[in-house]
């Protein structure tokens, strides 16, 4: 689901980060692509799997933040913003995707 220019990383425990390269000047296009990748990741993680002869299934809560050419100060807040969005997903009933920016919260209704 990720491209060569994208970067997945494990922060620790069960928290992961995926940095997506935008490839677009349109924030709406970037938001749509981020949403699509997040939904694909969520769907893949929701697939049942076998472990020690038992079927298991997990869910995920995903938070997205969009950044265009961040200032030095903004760079410090990127993970915090994504974390805030992830907790918004958890509060929404888990197994959902949320954007940090209120401006993009409407996409959850139109892109799902």
């Amino acid at each position: 689901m990720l491209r060569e220019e994208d970067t997945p990383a494990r922060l620790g425990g069960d928290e992961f980060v995926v940095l997506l390269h935008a490839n677009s000047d349109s924030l709406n296009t970037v938001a749509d692509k981020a949403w699509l990748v997040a939904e694909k990741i969520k769907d893949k993680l929701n697939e049942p799997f076998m472990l020690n002869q038992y079927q298991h299934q997990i869910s995920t809560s995903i938070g997205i933040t969009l950044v265009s050419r961040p200032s030095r100060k903004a760079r410090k807040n990127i993970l915090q913003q994504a974390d805030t969005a992830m907790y918004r997903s958890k509060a929404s009933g888990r197994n959902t995707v949320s954007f940090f920016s209120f401006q993009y919260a409407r996409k959850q209704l139109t892109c799902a």
Side-chain angles (χ1 to χ4, degrees):
M1 287 164 255
L2 300 181
R3 303 163 300 177
E4 190 172 312
E5 65 264 26
D6 299 332
T7 306
R10 179 174 180 235
L11 292 181
D14 62 352
E15 290 193 3
F16 298 85
V17 170
V18 177
L19 301 173
L20 301 175
H21 184 71
N23 291 334
S24 176
D25 288 333
S26 165
L27 204 53
N28 285 331
T29 300
V30 170
D32 290 342
K33 288 181 180 180
W35 180 270
L36 182 62
V37 170
E39 284 292 323
K40 286 180 179 181
I41 291 170
K42 181 177 68 78
D43 291 345
K44 190 66 173 173
L45 289 173
N46 286 169
E47 291 178 5
F49 60 94
M50 297 299 291
L51 180 64
N52 295 331
Q53 302 177 8
Y54 294 97
Q55 182 173 318
H56 297 271
Q57 191 168 0
I58 61 173
S59 64
T60 185
S61 299
I62 298 176
I64 299 173
T65 188
L66 303 175
V67 181
S68 62
R69 295 184 176 84
S71 66
R72 175 171 253 158
K73 182 180 177 184
R75 287 182 211 156
K76 295 177 183 178
N77 297 325
I78 293 170
L79 287 177
Q80 187 176 33
Q81 291 173 359
D83 200 50
T84 298
M86 181 205 47
Y87 279 104
R88 185 178 298 139
S89 290
K90 287 183 177 190
S92 297
R94 300 180 185 260
N95 208 35
T96 59
V97 177
S98 297
F99 281 88
F100 173 75
S101 172
F102 179 76
Q103 177 182 0
Y104 296 102
R106 296 185 321 238
K107 289 192 173 296
Q108 294 172 19
L109 301 175
T110 60
C111 295

